[in-house]
Amino acid sequence: MERETQFIGQSAAFQDAVERASLAASLDRPVLVIGERGTGKELIAERLHRLSTRWDRPYVIMNCAAMPETLIESELFGHEAGAFTGATRTRAGRFEEADGGTLFLDELATMSMGAQERLLRAVEYGEVTRVGSSRPIRVDVRIVAATNEHLPALVDDNRFRADLLDRLSFEVITLPPLRAREGDIEVLATYFGQRMATVLGWEEWPGFGPRALAAMEGHDWPGNVRELRNVIERAIYRWADPEKPVDAVSFDPFASPWQPVSRKAAAKAEAVTAPASDVAPAAPPSGPVSDLRAAVDGYERQILADTMARCRFNQKVAAEALGLSYDQIRHALKKHGLNQ
């Protein structure tokens, strides 16, 4: 299951984003890549480098969220020996490592204001100064940065420098979430499914059954393509008959009737004082009904809330009590705002 850098998708929204990245690649200007988690920001960043005139020069990746605030400036700009406790030798930073090439800054929005100020100088003047040194070093680096945050809103909240945003936003490529990529779910599912079937040694790829396809099309995919890949690979390896179409998918790997109860759910359960057998079922609305849909929705919500309370907020048990599948009760709880 080696890392793949190719793009899979046929939707117009996705193809437009890839085309914009291809167009911007040849320009030696900074690019911001915006998108939810799992939408492929890293792949777009790599495409920007591989299609640029710097393709044969260093491509350096730094995850800003993985660096403690006290070390991020040292990682970016390097440090001199003795600059701080533990700095036993001089070390070049990521800017120097990427000299002549591309520096990809992932999770840009997590960078501290102090680091942003020094990054601004590096972008504007092409100079970096190692921590503990007063001598600037010239560097030639193209910046590509990614985030899942709306940076203008962070500027309004004084959490991101407006001048740095101005320098980095020559081009902004916003990747569409999977739920907005019409027709791509089945394409991606088939691609990941065929790969996993090959890994497991299946002789042929049987495809997906209608129930599995319907479930995938109805899912919101908060984790986008990364989540889809996990769901597909898990479904393939759990499927018992390689000759029949895969027709069962599990979106939540933690779903279990024996899963630990969270503190929040336990507190709710303790608030239910009556035994389950003593709790009366929800009563239908009485009197004249002027809006049938609203009345039915209200009755359904009341049934769900009462059943969840009786089942100590265990979705698996509540689904069995109502004769629903786990995915059906999750959808119903989300519809009525009860999935807390």
Side-chain angles (χ1 to χ4, degrees):
M1 304 301 289
E2 72 281 357
R3 181 170 179 260
E4 295 285 347
T5 57
Q6 60 182 304
F7 292 91
I8 308 296
Q10 61 186 15
S11 66
F14 177 69
Q15 292 293 341
D16 285 348
V18 174
E19 184 178 350
R20 179 175 289 191
S22 301
L23 187 64
S26 61
L27 298 176
D28 203 16
R29 297 289 188 275
V31 177
L32 282 175
V33 185
I34 313 295
E36 297 179 5
R37 59 187 173 95
T39 49
K41 297 187 291 294
E42 300 90 346
L43 295 182
I44 289 291
E46 186 169 347
R47 185 179 187 85
L48 287 164
H49 174 71
R50 299 301 176 196
L51 296 182
S52 73
T53 57
R54 300 169 179 257
W55 64 270
D56 59 342
R57 304 296 295 165
Y59 175 61
V60 178
I61 302 173
M62 178 172 169
N63 187 336
C64 301
M67 291 290 122
E69 184 174 342
T70 53
L71 294 180
I72 193 168
E73 291 188 37
S74 172
E75 285 292 324
L76 273 176
F77 309 115
H79 62 257
E80 297 290 342
F84 51 84
T85 303
T88 57
R89 60 179 181 175
T90 298
R91 182 182 182 281
R94 303 295 177 92
F95 265 93
E96 291 180 70
E97 292 174 3
D99 190 22
T102 303
L103 175 60
F104 174 46
L105 299 176
D106 199 8
E107 303 290 349
L108 177 71
T110 63
M111 187 177 287
S112 69
M113 295 296 282
Q116 289 178 34
E117 184 175 357
R118 296 196 64 183
L119 175 60
L120 173 64
R121 181 172 182 82
V123 174
E124 189 167 3
Y125 299 107
E127 293 182 348
V128 297
T129 303
R130 292 175 180 171
V131 176
S133 173
S134 59
R135 181 175 62 88
I137 301 172
R138 296 288 300 177
V139 291
D140 174 22
V141 175
R142 183 193 192 181
I143 299 292
V144 176
T147 181
N148 58 6
E149 298 274 4
H150 184 52
L151 293 179
L154 297 188
V155 170
D156 292 340
D157 292 340
N158 294 318
R159 294 164 52 199
F160 200 86
R161 293 183 64 100
D163 45 5
L164 177 59
L165 182 59
D166 291 340
R167 299 297 189 281
L168 295 180
S169 58
F170 169 79
E171 177 62 290
V172 179
I173 300 171
T174 303
L175 299 180
L178 183 56
R179 58 185 173 275
R181 293 170 54 177
E182 186 176 356
D184 281 356
I185 291 175
E186 185 173 355
V187 173
L188 286 161
T190 300
Y191 172 74
F192 291 133
Q194 289 174 333
R195 289 184 65 206
M196 189 61 178
T198 301
V199 169
L200 295 177
W202 290 11
E203 294 183 1
E204 294 183 0
W205 167 239
F208 292 100
R211 184 171 58 179
L213 287 173
M216 287 188 284
E217 291 291 347
H219 189 56
D220 284 341
W221 300 110
N224 292 288
V225 179
R226 187 181 297 122
E227 180 189 4
L228 174 64
R229 174 175 172 170
N230 287 336
V231 167
I232 296 305
E233 292 179 358
R234 185 165 58 244
I236 303 301
Y237 112 86
R238 288 181 178 179
W239 191 244
D241 191 348
E243 296 183 358
K244 293 183 178 180
V246 179
D247 207 20
V249 292
S250 173
F251 298 109
D252 184 2
F254 296 97
S256 169
W258 305 284
Q259 67 185 20
V261 179
S262 67
R263 293 181 179 179
K264 187 175 181 179
K268 287 184 178 180
E270 290 176 1
V272 180
T273 57
S277 59
D278 294 339
V279 179
S286 59
V289 174
S290 59
D291 188 335
L292 178 61
R293 186 182 297 275
V296 171
D297 285 348
Y299 186 36
E300 180 179 307
R301 188 182 193 283
Q302 187 179 354
I303 291 173
L304 286 167
D306 291 349
T307 304
M308 287 294 291
R310 293 202 311 272
C311 297
R312 298 176 63 84
F313 300 94
N314 187 310
Q315 294 182 8
K316 179 73 173 179
V317 176
E320 293 175 356
L322 292 172
L324 301 174
S325 69
Y326 182 72
D327 290 333
Q328 286 173 329
I329 197 167
R330 284 189 66 203
H331 177 76
L333 292 171
K334 182 177 181 180
K335 171 185 174 183
H336 295 289
L338 297 173
N339 56 341
Q340 300 179 352

